[in-house]
Amino acid sequence: MSPSPPMAMLLLAVTMLSCALVTSVSGSGLAAHPAYSDDGTGTCGPVAGTRLEEYDGGRIVDITHAYRPELPAAGPDGLGRVVHLIMSMANGTLFNLSELRMVVHAGTHLDAPGHMVQEHFEAGLDVDKLDLAVLNGPALLVDVPRNTNITAQAMKSLNIPKGVRRVLFRTLNTDRKLMWKKAGDMSYVGFTEDGAQWLVDNTDIKLVGVDYLSVAAFDYLISAHVVFFKKPDIIPVEGLKLDDVEAGVYMLHCLPLRLVGAEGSPVRCILIK
Ligand SMILES: *[C@@H]1O[C@H](CO)[C@@H](O)[C@H](O)[C@H]1NC(C)=O
Ligand SMILES: *[C@@H]1O[C@H](CO)[C@@H](O)[C@H](O)[C@H]1NC(C)=O
Ligand SMILES: *[C@@H]1O[C@H](CO)[C@@H](O)[C@H](O)[C@H]1NC(C)=O
């Protein structure tokens, strides 16, 4: 069914209006990441908008990766499409309806202790039991020396003061733009077992943020995770988008979905200056 002539006029007017809005927003200097093929500015439809990485003149920084099919995943093909249109107006329904299909450890996400420790899983320590007080509060963004994984020695060299409870570790992964490459790259930087143990023994850190899909380096995939999960009070937040953010102290807000029974969840994380 095609729109009647007055309806078509209205649609056209709305389309032109939103094109004008997009032009003025993108002209205001708000950042859209250049690595997106679709930054939203190329489409001028009734619902066209601009995908932003910062809001309010840079006061709020989005450190969550958009769910693009090209996000990396295990294997060469990337994550693939996660939003599937299952009812379409083009096919005669009165509304469009999409379904979400993905593993819960895709893109920017966090882990619950049941991810790799059976007794925590059996105890029901799912993502819905994670402490929102840990996930929201002041956080330190630090640069890890680029020539190393996050070992005990690297941790020591960072001199993170006692009392700091949330740290986002930016590494060589960000320089290598690994989250912007669709093939999974197992040479990413992460925690070694002794690095994880050093953090547990010598710091007050309860939120550990990293810039690739796993908090643990590939050679320590299970062992470093298990060190963090032992006491179940540390929350790894993985796949953060830390490009173009200055090191320093911010207010961090991370909110996972309340997925009952799930050992991981997508999470929206933002920094506020
Ligand atoms: C719409 O119909 C076409 C043709 O029958 C079909 O290929 C497509 O999958 C349908 N899409 C949805 C979202 O129902
Ligand atoms: C519904 O989905 C169809 C097929 O992708 C698209 O052409 C149409 O613009 C959508 N309509 C709305 C209102 O989003
Ligand atoms: C980190 O460890 C991985 C293996 O777990 C290795 O492939 C990579 O080269 C290491 N990176 C650095 C910078 O040492």
Side-chain angles (χ1 to χ4, degrees):
M1 194 180 76
S2 58
S4 58
M7 189 62 187
M9 291 289 285
L10 181 64
L11 274 175
L12 185 63
V14 170
T15 304
M16 287 166 62
L17 180 65
S18 57
C19 286
L21 279 174
V22 166
T23 310
S24 72
V25 168
S26 54
S28 75
L30 292 174
H33 198 283
Y36 291 120
S37 53
D38 160 30
D39 66 0
T41 53
T43 48
C44 284
V47 291
T50 304
R51 201 186 313 285
L52 297 180
E53 307 307 310
E54 294 180 1
Y55 295 81
D56 197 10
R59 188 178 65 87
I60 301 174
V61 183
D62 199 334
I63 55 170
T64 314
H65 277 280
Y67 282 92
R68 301 166 285 121
E70 305 80 24
L71 273 182
D77 301 329
L79 183 60
R81 203 139 65 86
V82 300
V83 177
H84 295 260
L85 196 63
I86 56 166
M87 287 177 136
S88 165
M89 297 177 82
N91 287 8
T93 55
L94 292 174
F95 46 80
N96 282 347
L97 186 75
S98 297
E99 193 173 78
L100 191 58
R101 291 183 213 155
M102 63 180 195
V103 294
V104 293
H105 298 268
T108 306
H109 70 280
L110 52 66
D111 295 347
H115 187 29
M116 292 190 191
V117 177
Q118 183 61 19
E119 71 185 270
H120 295 332
F121 191 83
E122 283 164 8
L125 298 185
D126 62 19
V127 289
D128 194 31
K129 306 245 174 81
L130 294 173
D131 188 351
L132 288 185
V134 172
L135 289 166
N136 295 273
L140 182 63
L141 168 59
V142 297
D143 278 293
V144 175
R146 297 308 202 240
N147 60 349
T148 176
N149 271 290
I150 313 177
T151 59
Q153 199 185 349
M155 276 303 299
K156 210 168 171 177
S157 78
L158 290 172
N159 286 314
I160 296 164
K162 278 271 187 189
V164 172
R165 300 186 69 213
R166 302 167 198 84
V167 178
L168 311 181
F169 294 89
R170 180 166 49 200
T171 74
L172 184 61
N173 301 333
T174 295
D175 299 359
R176 294 177 67 202
K177 299 246 166 244
L178 290 189
M179 286 296 292
W180 300 97
K181 292 176 183 163
K182 106 176 160 179
D185 187 329
M186 298 306 122
S187 70
Y188 65 88
V189 162
F191 276 82
T192 59
E193 186 179 350
D194 75 335
Q197 194 62 55
W198 200 93
L199 181 148
V200 169
D201 293 343
N202 299 287
T203 76
D204 296 318
I205 301 169
K206 299 299 173 204
L207 182 147
V208 181
V210 293
D211 53 2
Y212 200 56
L213 296 168
S214 165
V215 74
F218 189 64
D219 287 346
Y220 301 88
L221 192 58
I222 306 299
S223 62
H225 270 99
V226 167
V227 169
F228 287 137
F229 292 144
K230 199 160 192 178
K231 258 226 302 187
D233 62 347
I234 289 180
I235 307 176
V237 180
E238 298 156 319
L240 288 166
K241 180 169 66 63
L242 302 178
D243 314 55
D244 308 321
V245 194
E246 272 175 51
V249 178
Y250 297 86
M251 277 303 286
L252 171 72
H253 293 287
C254 285
L255 295 173
L257 301 181
R258 301 192 64 174
L259 301 174
V260 173
E263 79 300 327
S265 170
V267 63
R268 186 75 179 257
C269 290
I270 60 170
L271 294 178
I272 302 185
K273 286 177 188 164

